Amino acid sequence: MTYLVNDPADFPAELADGFIAANRRYVRKVFGGAVRATKSRPGKVAMVVGGGTGHHPAFAGWVGQGMADGVVFGNIFSSPSAGQAASVARAANQGGGVIIAFGNYAGDVLHFGQAVETLKAEGINASIAVVTDDIASAPVDELNKRRGICGWVTVFKVTGAACEEGRSMDEVLEVFAKVNYRTRTLGVAFSGCTLPGADGPLFTVPDGKMGVGLGVHGEPGIYDADLGSANDVAQVLVDGLLKDKPDQAGDRVIVLLNGLGSTTYEELFVTYGAVARLLGEAGVTVVDCEVGELTTSMDMGGVSLSLTWADQEIERLWNAPCDTSAVRRGAVEGTEFIDAASLSQTAPALTVTTPGSPQSRTVAAALVLGLESVLEAMRANKDELGRLDAFAGDGDHGVGMVRGAENGLAAARDLAAQGGGAQTVLAGAGALWSERAGGTSGALWGGILAAAAQALGDNDPADVGAQVRAARAGLDAVLRIGGAHPGDKTMIDAFVPAVEALEAQLASGASAAEAWSTAADVAEAAALATAPMRPLVGRARPLAERSIGHPDAGAVSLGVIVRTISDRVGG
Ligand code: ADP
Ligand code: MG
């Protein structure tokens, strides 16, 4: 139960503001999150961490010298937007590029992935780095499908120290990959957590049982087992992790024993005593440990155990000086505060910095008309898209696409009226689409528009060749950001053949109208052809069977959008 609540809707923003006010030694507010309060060495690689809130001290507690340079605050258990992440990353950047590091959840992967695209388009070297420590969430041969649940404490500490040492972006990413691979976590839940304003917990665990393989967003555990003593629980966790020991790991570990929110420190110490004894019996040496609340899940009852199989470099970086509100080591150098006056605390206004060329402004005007038509088409198809998404997804695809198109259009109109060229107008539309639409598809459409915008530029006319290149850039972006493959039953299954058709038409000298009309036919047919497929990614995956016989909602909306473009180009 959460007792101290004002308006539940304000809870995430109020907790972020309160954290910042309480930690002036460590952080300063910026739109989307916070950055270090102290000056950093120019040119260092910056690491921004983040994700949903409700996990204290993850993630804000790790901002400070020697660890993270910035944090992005989401809502409780839900991903921040790409715009928020990009804002924090820009403020954290010291000129050496930015790594955005977070746990493996679809919403975070998409939004942070899109933020990286935006940053790169602005000339900032940026990369995502995804933590995958939860051994219960996928088998060992599918490491990249595992969730992140608590091992990020070690992963971020070690990676942050590598940034501080002045290592290059590639070297830092190598360190991240190594320490992430060597970090494994298993947890058990005794009781579920209750979201602020909710009547009851997200899940319950039957009396006398524990959920083994918990998640940190109210996921109950992969299976229930009998709840035994502290020794028994320690045994389950240690046995599970020793079975999942990475290759060539040695026998030295950094240990994290984490309380999920309502497990007492006393219980944690009793359990840690057993963990230490069991590791010793197994011939494993504990290099160092942290016992306490390291990643909570609001008021959930439970513990998780993480082992990072150390090598010399990991040990050195783990022990390097660090000063954050939650992790401190030794003495850090230089504690001069930044000048925070330049940090913007509000959402950036849509402004045109460089006006487009006259030719590109003509393209921009056509794009505004195109987005008007897209909005009209999404409104007309809203209920049908929602119906298709409801078979195995959550039924929000129509609503999301309408909200995305409304906001994209508003941004495009504003920027076109200010004299923006095609790139400025379409990139702005994508940013607001992603920010406001929500859902997986919102992030993906934001990425599509951002990439297409870059292909169009702010100076050139958009002949059929440029249009096809923009469509290809949009497809490449969604493949890269979403990571889906043809046959997974997503919008990709309509998008790939549509772009291939456009490219074939271009090669054979077709006009824009011919090319788009063919692409629309191809996309619509391909969308319908997804009906017999099983969804292999996205929210529909767990209920895949229910989707069979119905076309994928995102593929259908893609077909509608290609048809809309075709109608505009041809008409
Ligand atoms: P959510 O699934 O978050 O509720 P929407 O309902 O708006 O988002 O969109 C669902 C659609 O998103 C799916 O029908 C599918 O076409 C598309 N989608 C989901 N995951 C991916 C992905 N990884 N790559 C490409 N498209 C995806
Ligand atoms: Mg949906």
Coordinates of all heavy atoms in Angstrom, one line a residue, residues 36-98:
R36 N 24.2 15.5 -13.5 CA 25.1 15.7 -12.4 C 25.1 17.2 -12.0 O 25.2 18.1 -12.8 CB 26.6 15.4 -12.9 CG 26.9 14.0 -12.6 CD 28.4 13.8 -12.9 NE 28.7 12.4 -13.3 CZ 29.8 12.0 -13.6 NH1 30.9 12.7 -13.7 NH2 30.0 10.7 -13.9
A37 N 25.2 17.4 -10.7 CA 25.3 18.7 -10.2 C 26.7 19.3 -10.3 O 27.0 20.5 -10.3 CB 24.9 18.8 -8.7
T38 N 27.7 18.3 -10.4 CA 29.1 18.8 -10.5 C 29.7 18.7 -11.9 O 29.2 18.0 -12.7 CB 30.0 17.8 -9.6 OG1 29.6 16.5 -9.9 CG2 29.7 18.1 -8.1
K39 N 30.7 19.5 -12.1 CA 31.4 19.6 -13.4 C 32.1 18.3 -13.7 O 32.7 17.6 -12.8 CB 32.4 20.7 -13.4 CG 31.7 22.0 -13.5 CD 32.8 23.1 -13.8 CE 32.0 24.5 -14.0 NZ 32.9 25.6 -13.8
S40 N 32.0 17.9 -15.0 CA 32.7 16.7 -15.5 C 33.9 17.1 -16.4 O 33.8 18.2 -16.9 CB 31.8 15.8 -16.2 OG 30.7 15.4 -15.4
R41 N 34.8 16.2 -16.6 CA 35.9 16.5 -17.5 C 35.4 16.6 -18.9 O 34.7 15.7 -19.4 CB 36.9 15.3 -17.4 CG 38.3 15.7 -17.9 CD 39.3 14.5 -17.6 NE 38.6 13.2 -17.7 CZ 38.3 12.7 -18.9 NH1 38.6 13.3 -20.0 NH2 37.7 11.5 -18.9
P42 N 35.7 17.7 -19.6 CA 35.3 17.8 -21.0 C 35.8 16.7 -21.8 O 37.0 16.2 -21.6 CB 35.9 19.2 -21.4 CG 36.2 19.9 -20.2 CD 36.5 18.9 -19.1
G43 N 35.0 16.2 -22.7 CA 35.4 15.1 -23.6 C 35.2 13.7 -23.1 O 35.3 12.7 -23.9
K44 N 34.8 13.6 -21.9 CA 34.5 12.2 -21.4 C 33.3 11.7 -22.0 O 32.4 12.4 -22.4 CB 34.4 12.2 -19.8 CG 33.1 12.5 -19.3 CD 33.0 12.5 -17.8 CE 32.6 11.1 -17.3 NZ 31.2 10.7 -17.5
V45 N 33.2 10.3 -22.1 CA 31.9 9.7 -22.6 C 30.9 9.8 -21.4 O 31.3 9.6 -20.2 CB 32.2 8.2 -22.9 CG1 30.8 7.5 -23.2 CG2 33.1 8.1 -24.1
A46 N 29.7 10.3 -21.7 CA 28.7 10.4 -20.7 C 27.8 9.2 -20.7 O 27.5 8.6 -21.7 CB 27.9 11.7 -20.9
M47 N 27.4 8.8 -19.5 CA 26.4 7.6 -19.4 C 25.1 8.1 -18.8 O 25.1 8.7 -17.7 CB 27.0 6.5 -18.6 CG 26.0 5.3 -18.5 SD 26.7 3.9 -17.6 CE 26.8 4.5 -15.9
V48 N 24.0 8.0 -19.5 CA 22.7 8.4 -19.0 C 22.0 7.1 -18.7 O 22.0 6.1 -19.5 CB 22.0 9.2 -20.1 CG1 20.5 9.4 -19.7 CG2 22.6 10.6 -20.2
V49 N 21.4 7.0 -17.5 CA 20.6 5.8 -17.2 C 19.2 6.1 -17.0 O 18.8 7.3 -16.9 CB 21.2 5.1 -15.9 CG1 22.6 4.7 -16.1 CG2 21.1 6.1 -14.7
G50 N 18.3 5.1 -17.0 CA 16.9 5.5 -16.8 C 16.0 4.4 -17.1 O 16.3 3.2 -17.3
G51 N 14.7 4.8 -17.1 CA 13.6 3.9 -17.3 C 12.5 4.4 -16.4 O 12.4 5.5 -16.0
G52 N 11.5 3.5 -16.2 CA 10.4 3.8 -15.4 C 10.8 4.1 -13.9 O 11.9 3.7 -13.5
T53 N 10.0 4.9 -13.2 CA 10.3 5.1 -11.8 C 9.6 4.0 -11.0 O 8.9 3.2 -11.5 CB 9.9 6.5 -11.4 OG1 8.6 6.8 -12.0 CG2 10.8 7.5 -11.9
G54 N 9.7 4.1 -9.6 CA 9.1 3.1 -8.7 C 10.2 2.1 -8.3 O 9.8 1.1 -7.7
H55 N 11.5 2.4 -8.6 CA 12.5 1.4 -8.4 C 13.7 1.9 -7.5 O 14.8 1.4 -7.6 CB 13.2 1.0 -9.7 CG 12.2 0.4 -10.7 ND1 11.4 -0.7 -10.4 CD2 11.9 0.8 -12.0 CE1 10.7 -1.0 -11.5 NE2 11.0 -0.1 -12.4
H56 N 13.5 3.0 -6.7 CA 14.6 3.6 -6.0 C 15.5 2.6 -5.3 O 15.0 1.6 -4.7 CB 14.0 4.6 -5.0 CG 15.1 5.5 -4.5 ND1 15.6 6.5 -5.2 CD2 15.8 5.4 -3.3 CE1 16.6 7.1 -4.5 NE2 16.7 6.4 -3.4
P57 N 16.8 2.8 -5.3 CA 17.5 4.0 -5.9 C 17.7 3.9 -7.4 O 18.3 4.9 -7.9 CB 18.9 4.0 -5.1 CG 19.1 2.5 -4.8 CD 17.7 2.0 -4.5
A58 N 17.3 2.9 -8.0 CA 17.4 2.9 -9.5 C 16.4 4.0 -9.9 O 15.2 4.0 -9.4 CB 16.9 1.6 -10.1
F59 N 16.8 4.9 -10.8 CA 18.1 5.0 -11.4 C 18.7 6.3 -11.0 O 19.9 6.5 -11.2 CB 17.9 5.0 -12.9 CG 17.3 3.7 -13.4 CD1 15.9 3.6 -13.6 CD2 18.0 2.6 -13.7 CE1 15.3 2.4 -14.0 CE2 17.5 1.4 -14.2 CZ 16.1 1.3 -14.3
A60 N 17.9 7.2 -10.4 CA 18.4 8.5 -10.0 C 19.5 8.5 -9.0 O 20.4 9.4 -9.0 CB 17.3 9.4 -9.6
G61 N 19.5 7.5 -8.1 CA 20.4 7.4 -7.0 C 21.9 7.2 -7.5 O 22.8 7.2 -6.7
W62 N 22.0 6.9 -8.8 CA 23.4 6.6 -9.3 C 24.0 7.7 -10.1 O 25.0 7.5 -10.8 CB 23.3 5.3 -10.1 CG 22.8 4.2 -9.3 CD1 23.0 4.0 -7.9 CD2 21.9 3.1 -9.7 NE1 22.3 2.9 -7.5 CE2 21.6 2.3 -8.6 CE3 21.3 2.8 -10.9 CZ2 20.8 1.2 -8.6 CZ3 20.5 1.6 -11.0 CH2 20.3 0.9 -9.9
V63 N 23.4 8.9 -10.1 CA 23.9 10.0 -10.8 C 24.9 10.7 -9.9 O 24.6 11.1 -8.8 CB 22.8 11.0 -11.2 CG1 23.5 12.2 -12.0 CG2 21.8 10.3 -12.2
G64 N 26.1 10.9 -10.4 CA 27.2 11.6 -9.6 C 28.5 11.2 -10.2 O 28.6 10.3 -11.0
Q65 N 29.6 11.8 -9.6 CA 30.9 11.5 -10.1 C 31.3 10.1 -10.0 O 31.0 9.4 -9.0 CB 31.9 12.4 -9.3 CG 31.9 13.8 -9.7 CD 32.5 14.7 -8.6 OE1 31.9 14.8 -7.5 NE2 33.6 15.2 -9.0
G66 N 31.8 9.5 -11.1 CA 32.3 8.1 -11.0 C 31.2 7.1 -11.5 O 31.5 6.0 -11.7
M67 N 29.9 7.6 -11.7 CA 28.9 6.7 -12.1 C 28.1 7.3 -13.2 O 28.7 7.5 -14.3 CB 28.1 6.2 -10.9 CG 27.4 4.9 -11.1 SD 26.9 4.1 -9.5 CE 25.8 2.8 -10.1
A68 N 26.9 7.6 -13.1 CA 26.1 8.1 -14.2 C 26.2 9.6 -14.3 O 26.3 10.3 -13.3 CB 24.6 7.6 -14.1
D69 N 26.0 10.1 -15.6 CA 26.0 11.5 -15.8 C 24.6 12.1 -15.8 O 24.5 13.3 -15.7 CB 26.7 11.8 -17.1 CG 28.1 11.4 -17.1 OD1 28.4 10.2 -17.3 OD2 29.0 12.2 -16.9
G70 N 23.6 11.3 -16.0 CA 22.3 11.8 -16.1 C 21.3 10.7 -15.9 O 21.6 9.5 -16.0
V71 N 20.0 11.1 -15.6 CA 19.0 10.1 -15.4 C 17.7 10.6 -16.1 O 17.5 11.8 -16.1 CB 18.7 9.8 -13.9 CG1 18.2 11.1 -13.2 CG2 17.6 8.7 -13.7
V72 N 17.0 9.7 -16.7 CA 15.7 10.0 -17.4 C 14.6 9.4 -16.5 O 14.7 8.2 -16.2 CB 15.6 9.4 -18.8 CG1 14.5 10.1 -19.5 CG2 16.9 9.6 -19.6
F73 N 13.7 10.2 -16.1 CA 12.6 9.7 -15.3 C 11.4 9.3 -16.1 O 10.8 10.2 -16.8 CB 12.1 10.8 -14.3 CG 13.1 11.1 -13.2 CD1 13.7 12.3 -13.1 CD2 13.3 10.2 -12.2 CE1 14.5 12.7 -12.0 CE2 14.1 10.5 -11.1 CZ 14.7 11.7 -11.0
G74 N 10.9 8.1 -16.0 CA 9.6 7.8 -16.7 C 8.5 7.9 -15.7 O 8.7 8.3 -14.5
N75 N 7.3 7.4 -16.1 CA 6.2 7.3 -15.1 C 6.5 6.0 -14.3 O 7.5 5.3 -14.6 CB 4.9 7.2 -15.8 CG 4.4 8.5 -16.3 OD1 4.8 9.6 -15.7 ND2 3.7 8.5 -17.4
I76 N 5.7 5.7 -13.3 CA 5.9 4.5 -12.5 C 5.9 3.3 -13.5 O 4.9 3.1 -14.2 CB 4.8 4.3 -11.5 CG1 4.7 5.5 -10.5 CG2 5.0 3.0 -10.7 CD1 5.9 5.6 -9.5
F77 N 6.9 2.5 -13.5 CA 7.1 1.3 -14.3 C 6.9 1.5 -15.8 O 6.7 0.5 -16.5 CB 6.0 0.2 -13.8 CG 6.2 -0.2 -12.4 CD1 5.2 -1.0 -11.8 CD2 7.3 0.1 -11.7 CE1 5.3 -1.4 -10.5 CE2 7.4 -0.3 -10.3 CZ 6.4 -1.1 -9.8
S78 N 7.0 2.8 -16.3 CA 6.8 2.9 -17.8 C 7.9 3.8 -18.3 O 8.3 4.7 -17.7 CB 5.4 3.2 -18.1 OG 5.2 4.6 -18.1
S79 N 8.3 3.5 -19.5 CA 9.4 4.1 -20.2 C 9.2 5.6 -20.3 O 8.1 6.1 -20.7 CB 9.6 3.5 -21.5 OG 10.6 4.2 -22.3
P80 N 10.3 6.4 -20.2 CA 10.3 7.8 -20.6 C 10.2 7.9 -22.1 O 10.4 6.9 -22.8 CB 11.6 8.3 -20.1 CG 12.3 7.3 -19.3 CD 11.6 6.0 -19.7
S81 N 9.9 9.1 -22.6 CA 9.8 9.3 -24.0 C 11.2 9.5 -24.6 O 12.2 9.9 -23.9 CB 8.9 10.4 -24.4 OG 9.6 11.7 -24.1
A82 N 11.3 9.3 -25.9 CA 12.6 9.6 -26.6 C 13.0 11.0 -26.4 O 14.2 11.3 -26.2 CB 12.5 9.2 -28.1
G83 N 12.0 11.9 -26.4 CA 12.3 13.4 -26.3 C 13.0 13.7 -24.9 O 13.9 14.4 -24.8
Q84 N 12.4 13.0 -23.9 CA 13.0 13.2 -22.6 C 14.4 12.7 -22.5 O 15.3 13.3 -22.0 CB 12.1 12.5 -21.5 CG 10.8 13.2 -21.3 CD 9.9 12.3 -20.5 OE1 9.8 11.1 -20.6 NE2 9.2 13.0 -19.5
A85 N 14.6 11.5 -23.1 CA 15.9 10.9 -23.0 C 16.9 11.7 -23.8 O 18.1 11.9 -23.4 CB 15.9 9.5 -23.6
A86 N 16.5 12.2 -25.0 CA 17.4 13.1 -25.8 C 17.8 14.3 -25.0 O 18.9 14.8 -25.1 CB 16.8 13.4 -27.1
S87 N 16.8 14.9 -24.4 CA 17.0 16.2 -23.6 C 18.1 15.9 -22.5 O 19.0 16.7 -22.4 CB 15.7 16.6 -23.0 OG 16.0 17.5 -21.9
V88 N 18.0 14.9 -21.8 CA 18.9 14.6 -20.7 C 20.3 14.3 -21.3 O 21.3 14.8 -20.8 CB 18.5 13.4 -19.8 CG1 19.6 13.0 -18.8 CG2 17.2 13.7 -19.1
A89 N 20.3 13.5 -22.4 CA 21.6 13.2 -23.0 C 22.3 14.4 -23.6 O 23.5 14.5 -23.4 CB 21.3 12.2 -24.2
R90 N 21.6 15.3 -24.1 CA 22.3 16.6 -24.6 C 22.9 17.3 -23.5 O 24.0 17.8 -23.6 CB 21.2 17.5 -25.3 CG 20.8 17.1 -26.7 CD 19.9 18.1 -27.3 NE 19.0 17.5 -28.3 CZ 17.7 17.2 -28.1 NH1 17.1 17.6 -27.0 NH2 17.1 16.6 -29.1
A91 N 22.1 17.4 -22.4 CA 22.6 18.1 -21.2 C 23.8 17.4 -20.5 O 24.7 18.1 -20.0 CB 21.5 18.4 -20.2
A92 N 23.8 16.1 -20.6 CA 24.9 15.3 -20.0 C 26.2 15.2 -20.9 O 27.2 15.0 -20.4 CB 24.4 13.9 -19.7
N93 N 26.0 15.4 -22.2 CA 27.1 15.3 -23.1 C 28.2 16.2 -22.8 O 28.0 17.4 -22.7 CB 26.6 15.5 -24.5 CG 27.6 15.3 -25.6 OD1 28.6 14.6 -25.4 ND2 27.4 15.9 -26.8
Q94 N 29.4 15.7 -22.7 CA 30.6 16.5 -22.5 C 31.4 16.6 -23.7 O 32.6 17.0 -23.7 CB 31.5 15.9 -21.4 CG 30.7 15.7 -20.0 CD 30.3 17.0 -19.4 OE1 31.0 18.0 -19.5 NE2 29.1 17.0 -18.9
G95 N 30.9 16.2 -24.9 CA 31.6 16.3 -26.1 C 32.2 14.9 -26.5 O 32.6 14.8 -27.6
G96 N 32.1 14.0 -25.6 CA 32.7 12.6 -25.9 C 31.6 11.6 -26.3 O 32.0 10.4 -26.5
G97 N 30.4 12.0 -26.5 CA 29.3 11.1 -26.9 C 28.6 10.6 -25.6 O 29.1 10.8 -24.5
V98 N 27.5 9.9 -25.9 CA 26.6 9.5 -24.8 C 26.1 8.1 -24.9 O 25.7 7.7 -26.0 CB 25.3 10.4 -24.7 CG1 24.5 10.1 -23.5 CG2 25.7 11.9 -24.7

